[in-house]
Amino acid sequence: MEIFKDYIQNFLPSLLAGAGITIQLTIIAFTIALFVGLLAAFGRLSSNKIMSNFFGFYISALRGTPFFVQLMFIYFGLPDIGIELTAFQAAIIGLALNKSAYLAEIYRAGIQAIPKGQIEAGKAIGMKYSGIMRRIILPQAIKNELPSIGNMAILCLKNSSIAAVITVGEIMYQGQILASTTFRHLEVFTIVAVIYWILHYPLKLAVDYFEGKGNKSSVKDATY
Amino acid sequence: MKERGIRAVLKTLHINKYFGEDHVLKDINFEMDAGEIVVIVGPSGSGKSTFLRTMNVLERPTSGDILFMDESILYKKINEKKVHKKGKELTPTRTEIGMVFQSFNLFPHKTVLQNVVEGPLFVRKYEKEQATKEGESLLEKVGLLEKKNQYPDALSGGQQQRVAIARALAMNPKLMLFDEPTSALDPELIGEVLNVIKKLAKEGMTMVIVTHEMNFARNLADRIIFMDQGKIVRNASPKEFFNSTENKRINQFLANIDRG
Ligand SMILES: Nc1ncnc2c1ncn2[C@@H]1O[C@H](COP(=O)(O)OP(=O)(O)OP(=O)(O)O)[C@@H](O)[C@H]1O
Ligand SMILES: [Mg+2]
């Protein structure tokens, strides 16, 4: 126990610094993903064939290949065509694009689940398509999909650990350095795991809250 | 006395509608004046909803034209050529025509008042104060002012439908379309919705109503239209309609309704 306390004291500073980077990476990438995903969802749903096919390909390519490969491609591959990114930039872009594809599918499912009558009611009072989407469909779709979006944020947090392979100084990277210099793999990665778990916890609580909210009305209806 | 015959509010010219191979509306010619109340009846699948929905272009006829206040709602002229109106070119007509659906279709994420002022605020671009004042007076008219801050799922079906009527009226329409407004309601809630429609009738609102409520049709309609297999089979005053015995399909229909 005493010894473990020593390890924590020795390892924690650099791991916490790494956690700071992990948080930054996750928040920035996921925020971008939320917007790009929406764009991709509308592109996919567009009646314009070229647009729809393009975003269909975009989504499929990002969901059908490993994130690890995507990251290597962006960081080590793109310089060959003159696009040089820092490791942090590459990780942000990689993570954001990867999650945007998953979010696009979540948005799309959410939009398609809204009854057609909602669109017709909007049309009937003279709203334009863009207004119907923005004011009627999306608010309902996003609210319904909040649990899935929250789960995607948790995945984004955990996937950020892969950025270690391109030397972004987040927790996993710090952990690897500590482990290979002290040979205390078990201790180091236990602490790393605990930090990830703690970081994910507020997101998990949010997901539970959203799910509870969604369920409440149906439970109420059932016992009415 | 209502003012009649000012001019045709709505006129359909030889409209046909196909869903794939399915010929759902067959050469329909129809005309109605300001202040008129037309009730459409007919067996299930005869095309009543489809016909009604062409009137604000929720369905686009395959051929023919529809004039609203003497102007085509389907086509515009570019260099003397008829071109389909599309997307936002359809919205000016729709702001003038209110529609009430069988399934209410209230916006569940908005309160009752927000539902009603959505059109005035974001389509008509009224000031919030004015829209709210008018919205509240419409809710009062349908007897639901005290529910203005509730969400639709807290209301009964009859109340939801009355809100839906207020939402349509908030656009100050020249024509109101009702597609079986009471068919989704429990029997004891039908009366409150019909009463609101009666109130509109007294005020001279021009209305097209698809319904199976025959007594309501008899008492309120200026004209009853009977549709069968995509055609208008009969277009008559209620008195003539209910006395007519020569049409087998109509008699059969009326007999079924009485039993049902
Ligand atoms: N969107 C659609 N796609 C394909 N067929 C349709 C569509 N809407 C209606 N139809 C068909 O058109 C025909 C007329 O339907 P419509 O809904 O207008 O009938 P209705 O008279 O309103 O019937 P009901 O009394 O059951 O409401 C039916 O055969 C129906 O199956
Ligand atoms: Mg119908």
Side-chain angles (χ1 to χ4, degrees):
Chain A
M1 208 55 232
E2 272 304 296
I3 300 170
F4 200 71
K5 216 164 131 191
D6 276 354
Y7 290 137
I8 293 186
Q9 267 171 10
N10 289 333
F11 299 157
L12 215 48
S14 65
L15 290 180
L16 285 184
I21 307 239
T22 292
I23 292 172
Q24 280 181 38
L25 200 57
T26 305
I27 291 179
I28 299 173
F30 200 68
T31 306
I32 297 171
L34 284 171
F35 288 101
V36 177
L38 198 56
L39 195 85
F42 279 117
R44 185 81 186 92
L45 288 170
S46 165
S47 53
N48 181 326
K49 271 258 159 55
I50 297 172
M51 192 101 126
S52 170
N53 286 339
F54 172 79
F55 281 102
F57 174 76
Y58 172 88
I59 291 166
S60 174
L62 284 162
R63 288 183 7 131
T65 57
F67 177 53
F68 188 68
V69 174
Q70 295 165 14
L71 210 52
M72 300 300 261
F73 176 87
I74 293 172
Y75 188 56
F76 295 114
L78 289 186
D80 287 355
I81 55 167
I83 302 174
E84 301 262 1
L85 298 165
T86 67
F88 188 71
Q89 290 167 342
I92 293 271
I93 292 173
L95 206 50
L97 294 188
N98 178 275
K99 287 297 159 276
S100 76
Y102 287 90
L103 284 168
E105 289 294 86
I106 291 173
Y107 289 131
R108 185 164 76 105
I111 290 168
Q112 288 179 328
I114 303 299
K116 207 171 108 239
Q118 291 289 307
I119 297 176
E120 295 190 341
K123 282 183 180 174
I125 55 172
M127 296 176 83
K128 293 174 199 155
Y129 180 78
S130 59
I132 294 173
M133 273 299 151
R134 196 165 37 82
R135 300 195 45 83
I136 309 298
I137 306 302
L138 266 186
Q140 296 183 58
I142 289 177
K143 192 169 158 225
N144 294 344
E145 296 296 334
L146 278 176
S148 305
I149 294 171
N151 278 324
M152 206 42 72
I154 292 174
L155 265 181
C156 186
L157 169 72
K158 293 189 292 184
N159 281 170
S160 71
S161 65
I162 294 177
V165 299
I166 58 168
T167 72
V168 176
E170 44 71 73
I171 324 177
M172 190 61 198
Y173 183 73
Q174 303 294 352
Q176 280 176 340
I177 289 178
L178 281 176
S180 61
T181 51
T182 64
F183 299 104
R184 291 282 150 209
H185 291 84
L186 181 68
E187 293 82 354
V188 168
F189 288 118
T190 302
I191 301 173
V192 166
V194 168
I195 294 177
Y196 273 115
W197 186 87
I198 292 171
L199 290 181
H200 112 289
Y201 199 70
L203 290 169
K204 179 226 180 273
L205 286 180
V207 169
D208 287 351
Y209 173 75
F210 296 141
E211 277 178 344
K213 256 187 139 177
N215 284 340
K216 224 188 272 156
S217 64
S218 58
V219 170
K220 195 182 74 194
D221 288 346
T223 52
Y224 220 92
Chain B
M1 281 299 283
K2 291 174 197 166
E3 278 182 61
R4 286 283 152 73
I6 301 163
R7 60 169 161 171
V9 170
L10 190 86
K11 203 167 176 176
T12 74
L13 303 166
H14 300 286
I15 58 174
N16 283 281
K17 173 72 182 174
Y18 288 85
F19 286 115
E21 298 278 283
D22 219 358
H23 196 177
V24 172
L25 297 179
K26 296 172 184 160
D27 192 42
I28 294 198
N29 291 295
F30 167 80
E31 189 173 334
M32 74 186 289
D33 290 340
E36 252 198 315
I37 298 168
V38 173
V39 168
I40 302 177
V41 299
S44 182
S46 57
K48 305 180 298 293
S49 296
T50 306
F51 181 40
L52 193 77
R53 288 158 56 82
T54 60
M55 295 180 191
N56 65 351
V57 209
L58 287 185
E59 301 289 355
R60 191 188 284 276
T62 314
S63 66
D65 202 353
I66 300 178
L67 308 181
F68 176 70
M69 314 295 270
D70 297 332
E71 208 176 292
S72 172
I73 63 176
L74 300 175
Y75 300 98
K76 57 183 175 179
K77 278 226 171 94
I78 296 181
N79 300 331
E80 297 302 305
K81 265 181 75 180
K82 266 167 62 167
V83 180
H84 273 299
K85 288 188 186 173
K86 276 201 199 115
K88 63 181 180 203
E89 292 161 358
L90 297 170
T91 59
T93 316
R94 289 186 180 138
T95 61
E96 306 292 319
I97 300 177
M99 183 165 222
V100 174
F101 302 88
Q102 181 174 349
S103 50
F104 328 134
N105 297 347
L106 291 180
F107 306 131
H109 60 304
K110 294 183 184 289
T111 65
V112 163
L113 183 62
Q114 286 168 346
N115 264 275
V116 174
V117 298
E118 179 70 18
L121 281 181
F122 294 97
V123 179
R124 292 243 193 257
K125 315 276 185 209
Y126 286 177
E127 294 296 318
K128 188 160 184 197
E129 210 175 315
Q130 187 196 356
T132 305
K133 217 175 88 200
E134 292 180 12
E136 286 177 346
S137 87
L138 281 168
L139 284 173
E140 180 148 38
K141 182 171 182 172
V142 300
L144 288 170
L145 185 54
E146 77 278 14
K147 302 277 188 196
K148 68 174 179 174
N149 293 322
Q150 304 260 19
Y151 283 87
D153 68 0
L155 305 187
S156 73
Q159 290 171 333
Q160 288 189 48
Q161 192 61 300
R162 285 187 280 151
V163 174
I165 294 173
R167 176 177 67 182
L169 291 174
M171 295 302 287
N172 218 343
K174 297 194 172 69
L175 169 66
M176 285 282 285
L177 310 174
F178 295 83
D179 192 0
E180 301 202 32
T182 60
S183 292
L185 299 178
D186 291 336
E188 71 271 19
L189 302 178
I190 290 175
E192 64 190 57
V193 171
L194 295 185
N195 282 336
V196 170
I197 300 176
K198 281 180 198 157
K199 224 183 212 177
L200 297 181
K202 279 214 190 80
E203 294 169 6
M205 177 63 79
T206 312
M207 298 190 271
V208 184
I209 307 168
V210 177
T211 185
H212 291 293
E213 297 292 324
M214 283 303 154
N215 277 327
F216 175 73
R218 189 196 307 265
N219 294 328
L220 205 72
D222 296 306
R223 253 190 307 151
I224 296 183
I225 281 181
F226 183 84
M227 287 186 70
D228 189 29
Q229 296 178 12
K231 287 190 185 133
I232 292 181
V233 175
R234 191 154 165 79
N235 178 352
S237 73
K239 212 168 145 196
E240 288 169 333
F241 180 81
F242 286 101
N243 290 337
S244 75
T245 46
E246 77 265 30
N247 187 310
K248 235 171 53 198
R249 293 288 289 176
I250 296 178
N251 289 337
Q252 204 180 354
F253 174 78
L254 290 175
N256 281 339
I257 291 265
D258 279 346
R259 255 183 276 125

